[in-house]
Amino acid sequence: MSIATIAPGLTAGTWNIDPTHSEVTFTIRHLMTKVRGSFTEFSGSVQIAEDLAGSTATAEIKVASLDTRNADRDAHVRTADVLDVENHPSMTFNTKGVRAEGGEYYLDGDLTIKGVTRPVSLTVEFNGVAEDPWGGTRAGFSAETTINRKDWGIEFNVPLKGEGALLGDKVNLQLEIQAVRA
């Protein structure tokens, strides 16, 4: 998988995530709707290889930067009941590789939450490359995956009448990333 064929304009080398122009967001079912939230502090980089399969990426997300637009809920999610920010201030992602399958591209790697590391695959979309007004070269990527929070030891829940629960187990993670060529 030659990078030039798959991602025109994307060159081999280091591309640093620009957190000002990127987003790390999530959704989870809460009662009968989905709550959306984001993490506002994160960093990382993408190492693009000539052979796309050899490309790698790393990211670190500051868990305390969680924002669901509800201060009381955010404070609770930061406690040991849920994300335990005091003992686990960061989530990390480190790739194992990039693969193409059925016309889709996947970023396979290890996601660490609350000290638990598990493999995940993110579906990735390349959104193009452009020169920015400040003389830099930027690449855009969208990625997403769905995880089961219990796989990372996040067990907190409140039973509701009948068979329901306050929180769903599935968490959809979405990334909109702008990376700047180093």
Side-chain angles (χ1 to χ4, degrees):
M1 293 187 296
S2 164
I3 191 66
T5 306
I6 297 165
L10 189 62
T11 56
T14 300
W15 295 74
N16 294 315
I17 294 173
D18 175 0
T20 304
H21 296 99
S22 299
E23 294 181 342
V24 176
T25 61
F26 64 90
T27 57
I28 184 170
R29 186 184 50 74
H30 179 268
L31 293 171
M32 302 312 131
T33 61
K34 291 186 179 177
V35 168
R36 299 181 192 291
S38 64
F39 293 97
T40 59
E41 294 179 37
F42 52 89
S43 61
S45 66
V46 179
Q47 302 292 324
I48 301 296
E50 289 294 337
D51 177 0
L52 186 61
S55 298
T56 61
T58 60
E60 179 179 11
I61 300 165
K62 300 295 183 186
V63 180
S65 72
L66 169 89
D67 181 6
T68 66
R69 299 175 322 279
N70 181 299
D72 291 337
R73 177 175 47 222
D74 294 350
H76 181 244
V77 172
R78 290 181 186 112
T79 69
D81 279 350
V82 186
L83 291 175
D84 195 8
V85 171
E86 187 174 320
N87 293 305
H88 304 284
S90 298
M91 291 189 289
T92 59
F93 178 77
N94 294 291
T95 59
K96 291 183 173 180
V98 178
R99 64 184 164 87
E101 189 175 290
E104 298 282 340
Y105 293 93
Y106 298 92
L107 191 59
D108 298 319
D110 289 327
L111 178 63
T112 301
I113 304 172
K114 286 183 69 171
V116 176
T117 302
R118 300 200 36 100
V120 296
S121 293
L122 288 88
T123 305
V124 178
E125 179 182 351
F126 172 64
N127 298 323
V129 173
E131 299 295 317
D132 67 27
W134 307 280
T137 303
R138 293 177 178 267
F141 304 90
S142 299
E144 75 175 297
T145 192
T146 300
I147 64 171
N148 184 320
R149 64 188 177 86
K150 290 182 177 180
D151 291 343
W152 281 266
I154 303 170
E155 300 285 338
F156 173 83
N157 218 337
V158 175
L160 302 175
K161 287 184 179 180
E163 309 237 350
L166 182 67
L167 294 175
D169 293 339
K170 293 182 181 179
V171 180
N172 187 277
L173 303 171
Q174 307 95 19
L175 295 89
E176 293 296 330
I177 301 296
Q178 274 191 34
V180 181
R181 178 86 161 103

